[in-house]
């Protein structure tokens, strides 16, 4: 048993790619969220239905696994499914497949419904969750914790939240957190390596006009893997953290 | 007489819009450039043909007229045409029309071919310009100069060029200049007004890892129009400047 699947085609445009000729992680997150918004519209539980309840969907964690980043001009299939849910949490999966039907990106995420005024979590409303046919379960998947480390920061950068970071929901677009985090890694690294795994956890929402600090640390690992820990802070409080595992780009 | 016209449909996604629910200017520039790249591919003079000549297309000026900004989820038609050219300069027009066929954005621009190593302008090669069927003329259109003013800056902001500002051609994406410029205007202004006209002139190319300074001034006008002058500087040298005329958003 599982929820209704929704898929749509998407062509990666040049402005969704970077100097390696591949799609960027922030843009891949954008196109996957677009698929979930399009599913919600198709099921008649889009923002025009959810907004009047005073609630809104908020993601708390993504675990992203990347086999291969799609290339600029490649046409991919983007899919999503609300897999299951308990009273408060919903597991939503996303995937991207290439023209041969091979899955190249897989994301598992946790969504909650939040009161848009008090910013407190709400129980999932049957009329909002029902149409996805997500399976009701006692316990939803427990995603791995983001690793921790005591090592000294490698790099540290301040960013002012800009007008163009804010989306139509008046929030900082989720994808911007990825830009702040990835921008702390030097350009050569970003052109030679790619994130094969990202485990990102959102604790608090960055607000318009705030100043964020993006910090990166290296994580020592038992195996040969190359890992970094990223934190986005506001006034020294961690608003978002992510663990990234890197691998050399093949092409 | 004029060149071959090329059009394609484009749906404005939520990540191409801002908190007003409308497409952003930087994203509109991206989707228009995408149309010209798609035309070049369709005519077999895409980057795979131009790159081996050692040259590359570079825009020197855009004059952008906006009647109305398209909304998120709106499907628009994006068009482009290489109108005419002389030995060195090509006039390329762009337009965006809505589903009723009404033109809502019109852009006139000047493109040149530049040697990618020396960064010097080259004569337009017949094999590169020919397929567009642009009309050969003695004199191409003379676009208006960007206004000047001696007034004191209203606001001034430094930006580090980021990894995600660089596109697949290893240049700062043209659209990023618009973000640097528009970000100097305060958020309330940007939500209440929109640019009805932008005249932007590129003098030098900002390089990866440079630090730019974005300065905005108010322009006094004879009529009631509200105008700003924007400059992007590197080490106090003007790399790009733009004049923007503002009008209240209707919706």
């Amino acid at each position: 048993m599982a929820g209704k699947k929704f898929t749509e085609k998407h062509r990666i445009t040049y402005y969704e790619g970077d100097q390696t000729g591949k799609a960027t992680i922030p843009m891949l997150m954008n196109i996957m969220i677009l698929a979930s918004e399009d599913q919600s519209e198709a099921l008649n539980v889009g923002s025009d239905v959810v907004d009047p309840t005073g609630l809104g969907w908020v993601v708390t964690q993504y675990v992203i696994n990347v086999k291969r980043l799609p290339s600029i001009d490649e046409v991919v299939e983007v899919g999503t499914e609300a897999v299951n849910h308990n009273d408060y949490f919903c597991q939503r999966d996303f995937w991207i497949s290439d023209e041969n039907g091979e899955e190249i990106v897989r994301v598992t995420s946790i969504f909650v419904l939040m009161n848009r005024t008090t910013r407190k979590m709400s129980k999932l409303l049957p009329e909002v969750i029902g149409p996805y046919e997500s399976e009701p379960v006692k316990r939803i998947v427990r995603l791995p914790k983001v690793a921790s480390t005591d090592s000294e920061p490698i790099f540290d950068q301040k960013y002012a939240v800009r007008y163009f970071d804010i989306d139509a929901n008046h929030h900082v677009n989720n994808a911007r957190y990825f830009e702040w985090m990835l921008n702390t890694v030097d350009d050569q690294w970003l052109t030679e390596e790619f994130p094969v795994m990202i485990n990102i956890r959102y604790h608090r929402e960055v607000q318009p006009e705030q100043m964020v600090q993006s910090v990166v640390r290296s994580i020592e690992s038992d195996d040969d893997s190359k890992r970094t820990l990223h934190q986005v802070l506001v006034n020294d409080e961690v608003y978002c953290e992510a663990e990234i595992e890197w691998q050399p780009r093949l092409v």
Side-chain angles (χ1 to χ4, degrees), chain A residues 142-157:
Chain A
R142 188 176 284 272
L143 294 181
K145 285 195 174 174
V146 173
S148 63
T149 174
D150 297 325
S151 67
E152 286 297 304
I154 305 173
F155 194 72
D156 178 335
Q157 176 79 52

Side-chain angles (χ1 to χ4, degrees), chain A residues 1 37 40 64 72 83 88 101 144 161 182 193 216 233 249:
Chain A
M1 268 276 308
E37 293 200 347
S40 299
I64 303 158
I72 292 173
V83 180
Y88 286 94
V161 176
L182 293 170
E193 309 257 331
V216 57
L233 301 104
R249 289 179 189 266

Side-chain angles (χ1 to χ4, degrees), chain A residues 139-195:
Chain A
R139 291 188 189 185
I140 62 152
V141 64
R142 188 176 284 272
L143 294 181
K145 285 195 174 174
V146 173
S148 63
T149 174
D150 297 325
S151 67
E152 286 297 304
I154 305 173
F155 194 72
D156 178 335
Q157 176 79 52
K158 285 208 162 84
Y159 297 105
V161 176
R162 304 181 185 177
Y163 176 80
F164 291 108
D165 298 334
I166 312 297
D167 65 21
N169 296 320
H170 302 277
H171 291 125
V172 174
N173 179 342
N174 273 342
R176 297 296 177 159
Y177 293 80
F178 289 90
E179 290 192 17
W180 293 328
M181 289 179 162
L182 293 170
N183 256 309
T184 57
V185 178
D186 76 57
D187 289 14
Q188 197 186 341
W189 182 327
L190 289 173
T191 53
E192 291 176 357
E193 309 257 331
F194 76 101

Side-chain angles (χ1 to χ4, degrees), chain A residues 102-141:
Chain A
E102 201 194 337
E103 190 176 291
I104 57 175
V105 177
R106 163 67 58 169
V107 177
T108 300
S109 69
I110 305 296
F111 275 73
V112 299
L113 271 180
M114 201 175 250
N115 183 300
R116 296 211 316 282
T117 313
T118 65
R119 310 315 294 170
K120 284 204 176 130
M121 237 165 72
S122 152
K123 274 200 175 188
L124 298 182
L125 303 181
E127 63 270 33
V128 167
I129 188 75
Y132 299 102
E133 296 182 15
S134 154
E135 187 181 7
V137 290
K138 284 226 163 143
R139 291 188 189 185
I140 62 152
V141 64

Side-chain angles (χ1 to χ4, degrees), chain A residues 204-222:
Chain A
R204 290 193 60 180
E205 298 167 292
V206 175
Q207 301 299 319
E209 308 194 29
Q210 279 183 326
M211 180 68 78
V212 305
Q213 186 184 14
S214 179
V215 180
V216 57
R217 291 178 169 81
S218 175
I219 302 176
E220 322 72 56
S221 65
D222 305 334

Side-chain angles (χ1 to χ4, degrees), chain A residues 30-48:
Chain A
N30 279 333
I31 68 173
M32 288 188 279
I33 293 294
L34 180 62
S36 72
E37 293 200 347
D38 287 340
Q39 180 184 40
S40 299
E41 289 294 335
L43 297 175
N44 287 312
V45 277
S47 54
D48 52 324

Side-chain angles (χ1 to χ4, degrees), chain A residues 10-14 21 70-76 99:
Chain A
H10 185 89
R11 171 194 173 195
I12 308 292
T13 64
Y14 81 90
S71 299
I72 292 173
D73 277 339
E74 191 171 342
V75 176
V76 292
E99 282 187 301

